[in-house]
């Protein structure tokens, strides 16, 4: 049985407040991490053999890697007020997330990439299409 119920913790030294790995959730593939970074804060990660989608949940952040420097990726004032900007990074990529201005909350969505993953790119929130999936009590917008 998967352990889906996780609670945020006080921020660690690199801002991590939540980390769900395939091992900790007893899942086969994906992982998720949330960083709560103060103004001027930063965090470094490496994708290893996985790919990652860096989602700016709130605030503004810069994402730096060998694939480029994407500045002022933004999130809405809160997770329910609009679509956030994101950046997709392929396997074997070291990257840094740096807060731009005030505090920011950033989600890291990890997935295996056995065929090399998607190319590095920015995903502007205002260009993403929302899809409705499921129906009734299972309906959701993604």
């Amino acid at each position: 049985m998967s352990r889906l119920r996780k609670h945020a913790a006080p921020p660690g030294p690199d801002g991590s407040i939540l980390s769900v790995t395939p091992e900790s959730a007893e899942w086969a593939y994906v992982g998720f991490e949330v960083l709560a970074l103060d103004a001027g804060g930063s965090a470094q990660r490496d994708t290893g053999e996985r790919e990652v989608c860096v989602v700016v949940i709130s605030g503004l952040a810069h994402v730096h890697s060998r694939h480029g420097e994407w500045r002022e990726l933004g999130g809405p004032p809160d997770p329910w007020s609009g679509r956030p900007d994101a950046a997709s990074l392929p396997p074997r990529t070291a990257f840094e997330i740096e807060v731009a201005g005030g505090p920011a909350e950033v989600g890291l969505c990890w997935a295996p990439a056995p065929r090399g993953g998607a190319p590095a790119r920015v995903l502007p929130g205002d260009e993403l299409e929302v899809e409705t999936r499921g129906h009734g009590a299972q309906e959701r917008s993604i």
Side-chain angles (χ1 to χ4, degrees):
M1 157 112 0
S2 179
R3 295 182 197 126
L4 293 176
R5 193 169 191 157
K6 300 286 181 182
H7 298 280
D14 64 353
S16 182
I17 62 170
L18 179 71
S19 180
V20 179
T21 65
E23 297 78 21
S24 71
E26 298 178 4
W27 293 339
Y29 303 107
V30 299
F32 182 70
E33 184 176 5
V34 178
L35 306 175
L37 299 169
D38 291 328
S42 66
Q44 294 79 34
R45 296 287 185 276
D46 192 299
T47 60
E49 295 303 311
R50 303 170 297 171
E51 61 186 346
V52 68
C53 186
V54 179
V55 181
V56 182
I57 299 167
S58 64
L60 291 174
H62 309 308
V63 177
H64 313 277
S65 78
R66 65 183 168 90
H67 298 286
E69 184 170 321
W70 300 310
R71 302 189 62 76
E72 296 190 6
L73 299 179
D78 61 72
W80 319 113
S81 297
R83 294 171 282 183
D85 293 335
S88 177
L89 295 168
R92 294 171 294 287
T93 301
F95 64 99
E96 178 180 24
I97 302 161
E98 179 186 359
V99 173
E105 193 168 86
V106 178
L108 303 177
C109 309
W110 302 92
R115 294 185 195 101
R121 64 183 182 213
V122 171
L123 304 163
D126 59 359
E127 294 178 16
L128 299 176
E129 293 184 28
V130 176
E131 293 181 27
T132 301
R133 295 198 182 164
H135 63 285
Q138 302 301 317
E139 185 174 294
R140 65 221 176 264
S141 298
I142 57 170

